[in-house]
Amino acid sequence: ATATDPNGNTSEFSAPASVQSAPVIINNYLSVKLGGFVYNRTTRQFTQTLTITNISGAVITGPIEMVFLNLKNATLVNRTGVTQGSPYITVLSTGSLGIGQSLTITLVFADPTLATITYTPEFLAGPIPPGD
């Protein structure tokens, strides 16, 4: 940003800064098939397989992130990070998911109480800003 005086002279308010666009919610563009939870007695963890399919009429460019809203009774072991208090995992880091294309991911949960694991998935296209 600059300021201009009546004589046309300019001065800088601050150094230039890059702006990253916010990720976009793409839940309506994907079909998600959730597998059941499988318990591993050795690791004492649960795994769940998800198949995610692009049902939109356009290519979805990565990264694609899955946020676990309202995660109850477990922690996501293989999370990428946390955003606004909810864990997330990067589903597709680079490239894109073409029309009709699918990808499969495996989630790993720690559930020491063996209570029912619940969450609401939210999918985002675009990187989650650091420290969010």
Side-chain angles (χ1 to χ4, degrees), residues 69-114:
L69 302 175
N70 308 310
L71 177 61
K72 302 283 189 238
N73 302 320
T75 56
L76 182 62
V77 174
N78 60 334
R79 73 180 190 196
T80 302
V82 175
T83 182
Q84 298 181 1
S86 296
Y88 72 91
I89 187 169
T90 300
V91 174
L92 179 70
S93 57
T94 60
S96 59
L97 188 62
I99 300 167
Q101 282 188 322
S102 297
L103 56 88
T104 301
I105 63 169
T106 300
L107 307 172
V108 181
F109 296 93
D111 179 6
T113 65
L114 303 180

Side-chain angles (χ1 to χ4, degrees), residues 13-126:
F13 279 131
S14 66
S18 297
V19 177
Q20 182 177 350
S21 60
V24 177
I25 297 172
I26 57 170
N27 292 351
N28 295 335
Y29 304 133
L30 301 173
S31 168
V32 181
K33 182 180 176 187
L34 301 171
F37 292 96
V38 178
Y39 184 68
N40 182 316
R41 291 176 196 242
T42 304
T43 63
R44 303 181 87 174
Q45 295 175 335
F46 288 87
T47 58
Q48 182 184 37
T49 302
L50 276 68
T51 301
I52 301 159
T53 304
N54 178 353
I55 59 169
S56 74
V59 172
I60 301 172
T61 303
I64 299 173
E65 317 282 0
M66 178 181 174
V67 181
F68 294 77
L69 302 175
N70 308 310
L71 177 61
K72 302 283 189 238
N73 302 320
T75 56
L76 182 62
V77 174
N78 60 334
R79 73 180 190 196
T80 302
V82 175
T83 182
Q84 298 181 1
S86 296
Y88 72 91
I89 187 169
T90 300
V91 174
L92 179 70
S93 57
T94 60
S96 59
L97 188 62
I99 300 167
Q101 282 188 322
S102 297
L103 56 88
T104 301
I105 63 169
T106 300
L107 307 172
V108 181
F109 296 93
D111 179 6
T113 65
L114 303 180
T116 302
I117 300 170
T118 61
Y119 61 87
T120 303
E122 179 177 75
F123 291 89
L124 305 174

